[in-house]
Amino acid sequence: MVCPIRYKDEIKGFFGVDNPPESDTLGLTTFLDMIGTLLISLLKLRNSFTKSNKEAKLSSYSSLSSIYISMAVVNVQTHRYHIVKTLDEVTHFLGVKPQKEGEYKIDEDFPGHINSVMNEFCTKAHRKEALEFVDITTVEDRLRGKNTIVHELIGKVSGWCRERFIPVDYDDDGRLWHVLYCVENIDEEKRRENRLMYLAQTDFMTGIRNRGSGENKITEYLVRKQCGLLCLLDCDKFKSINDTYGHVVGDKVIIAIADTLRKSCRDDDVVLRLGGDEFAVFIPGMLDKERAEAFFDRLFSNIEHIDIAEMNGKHILLSLGACFYDGMDCITFDQLYRRADTAMYDSKKKQGYSATIFDAKQ
């Protein structure tokens, strides 16, 4: 005995039982018809729930996308995708009309889409790593055991950006099914970060490296066994300058020395203020005594030309102690510093501009 299953005034199928009792065919027919109607109602509810669930997900993605400049829902297994949000420049580049809010349009080839976007909008220096990150064929392995993965790049339109993949759901076999691909603008964050890093590494008064930053940079050279020359510099009778002309003038002297050191050195040289009136310079690659002495003469000449108005023509005098590092043995900054400081002690015994290079034989 069967009864038709009707949907929108059409018969879509049949529902029935085998070997029905012959005693009450009318009652059974009515019962089967009720069951068929109930099945249709349940299917309608399921379809409505699926549609509502999809719309709810899209609505939640749209809300989440407010913190991103771009977002897409991607099927990891089929590479089909839906753009929730993107930049107007990207829409124009792709030659498509912007989607209306709530519109759900599925496209077929996420790898082709994202590769063309990256090739157009990512700076050349960051393009290779960016393309490796958006490789959807490897994202399941990279996301295993993680809530998200991120990568930073510089875009031609928005500056510094952070792109990320977020897992959405998994299929019955436990394989990753959908992910969110999101891009946020972090240009302002990067500027603040770089500013804080600059402040952490810079001597506030002079603008050159502070002791911690300078030591770390020199240590990097020493770990790589980069040969070079370490110079320690000290302002002679600096206390007398402070006592005679005041601390404001003393600060001007410190700033003038730092500025002269910076201008006398190359970009790769490490110039730092150790504290007070003590400075240091590390010149990578310098092992020749004659070249070192030529540098000392040029530096002293530049220092001699410093003119602090309040000092009425009185010159600033420096003492210098230096030590070569040949790159052969392992050495720490402190060890190199002590050798240069020993040479500085000899320079301090002389009047005027004086430079001494450490000699282990003495």
Side-chain angles (χ1 to χ4, degrees):
M1 180 178 289
V2 297
C3 280
I5 297 178
R6 300 179 182 87
Y7 180 68
K8 293 184 178 180
D9 297 326
E10 293 182 5
I11 296 177
K12 295 296 185 178
F14 295 89
F15 176 78
V17 295
D18 291 334
N19 304 315
E22 299 178 3
S23 58
D24 188 12
T25 56
L26 180 60
L28 186 55
T29 301
T30 302
F31 176 72
L32 291 177
D33 194 43
M34 289 172 59
I35 295 297
T37 303
L38 179 61
L39 282 174
I40 287 297
S41 298
L42 290 173
L43 289 172
K44 287 181 178 179
L45 285 172
R46 184 202 65 180
N47 293 342
S48 176
F49 175 77
T50 301
K51 182 180 179 182
S52 298
N53 192 37
K54 182 182 291 184
E55 290 175 350
K57 281 186 177 180
L58 288 175
S59 177
S60 66
Y61 296 154
S62 296
S63 299
L64 181 62
S65 71
S66 62
I67 65 174
Y68 296 105
I69 60 175
S70 177
M71 177 185 284
V73 185
V74 187
N75 187 314
V76 177
Q77 299 175 19
T78 66
H79 299 174
R80 303 177 81 195
Y81 68 100
H82 163 65
I83 296 176
V84 179
K85 180 181 181 181
T86 192
L87 292 170
D88 291 339
E89 290 84 358
V90 175
T91 302
H92 180 75
F93 166 71
L94 296 174
V96 297
K97 294 181 180 179
Q99 292 178 180
K100 297 179 181 178
E101 188 173 350
E103 184 179 358
Y104 190 81
K105 181 177 178 293
I106 297 177
D107 291 302
E108 300 293 332
D109 180 25
F110 180 75
H113 159 76
I114 197 64
N115 283 2
S116 63
V117 170
M118 283 298 176
N119 282 321
E120 177 68 17
F121 292 99
C122 183
T123 58
K124 187 175 181 180
H126 290 77
R127 193 172 299 154
K128 182 180 178 182
E129 290 184 0
L131 288 172
E132 290 176 353
F133 180 80
V134 298
D135 185 357
I136 201 68
T137 63
T138 63
V139 74
E140 182 173 12
D141 288 336
R142 288 183 286 140
L143 271 171
R144 187 165 285 114
K146 300 175 183 176
N147 294 322
T148 186
I149 53 175
V150 298
H151 174 254
E152 295 179 357
L153 68 148
I154 299 180
K156 296 179 182 178
V157 175
S158 303
W160 274 103
C161 296
R162 181 182 294 122
E163 53 182 349
R164 70 171 69 236
F165 281 110
I166 305 171
V168 174
D169 52 19
Y170 297 81
D171 63 18
D172 293 337
D173 297 323
R175 291 186 57 203
L176 185 61
W177 196 2
H178 293 95
V179 293
L180 287 178
Y181 171 72
C182 311
V183 180
E184 60 182 308
N185 185 289
I186 58 169
D187 206 53
E188 185 177 345
E189 176 185 327
K190 277 291 183 180
R191 286 199 298 270
R192 288 199 304 268
E193 182 180 299
N194 291 338
R195 177 63 178 166
L196 290 173
M197 186 176 296
Y198 171 80
L199 292 174
Q201 296 178 347
T202 305
D203 178 66
F204 183 73
M205 178 186 291
T206 63
I208 62 176
R209 288 180 181 269
N210 58 26
R211 182 171 191 134
S213 171
E215 283 191 25
N216 290 339
K217 187 62 180 178
I218 295 172
T219 298
E220 288 179 16
Y221 280 124
L222 299 179
V223 169
R224 297 201 303 266
K225 293 189 175 181
Q226 167 66 63
C227 62
L229 176 72
L230 177 68
C231 304
L232 299 184
L233 303 101
D234 192 84
C235 181
D236 293 345
K237 300 179 180 178
F238 181 71
K239 185 177 183 302
S240 175
I241 293 175
N242 273 333
D243 292 343
T244 303
Y245 305 104
H247 288 280
V248 173
V249 174
D251 290 347
K252 288 184 179 181
V253 169
I254 295 296
I255 294 169
I257 293 173
D259 191 50
T260 303
L261 280 174
R262 182 171 50 232
K263 291 177 180 177
S264 302
C265 294
R266 306 167 301 180
D267 291 341
D268 291 340
D269 298 340
V270 184
V271 181
L272 63 145
R273 182 185 178 198
L274 291 167
D277 60 315
E278 188 177 14
F279 298 84
V281 176
F282 183 76
I283 307 174
M286 182 174 284
L287 280 179
D288 184 80
K289 184 177 180 181
E290 289 185 3
R291 285 181 58 207
E293 290 176 344
F295 168 73
F296 302 154
D297 290 341
R298 185 174 77 254
L299 175 61
F300 288 151
S301 176
N302 293 339
I303 294 291
E304 190 175 13
H305 281 86
I306 294 176
D307 182 19
I308 306 294
E310 294 87 343
M311 293 178 63
N312 301 315
K314 184 177 177 62
H315 291 301
I316 299 169
L317 301 179
L318 288 184
S319 295
L320 187 152
C323 178
F324 286 116
Y325 170 57
D326 59 11
M328 300 298 292
D329 301 322
C330 293
I331 194 170
T332 65
F333 173 83
D334 287 339
Q335 290 171 320
L336 200 61
Y337 175 90
R338 284 196 292 270
R339 295 176 186 179
D341 192 48
T342 299
M344 168 74 80
Y345 180 76
D346 290 335
S347 293
K348 283 286 187 182
K349 297 176 182 177
K350 306 169 186 175
Q351 289 290 329
Y353 300 109
S354 176
T356 305
I357 298 175
F358 175 78
D359 187 352
K361 297 177 181 178
Q362 292 181 352

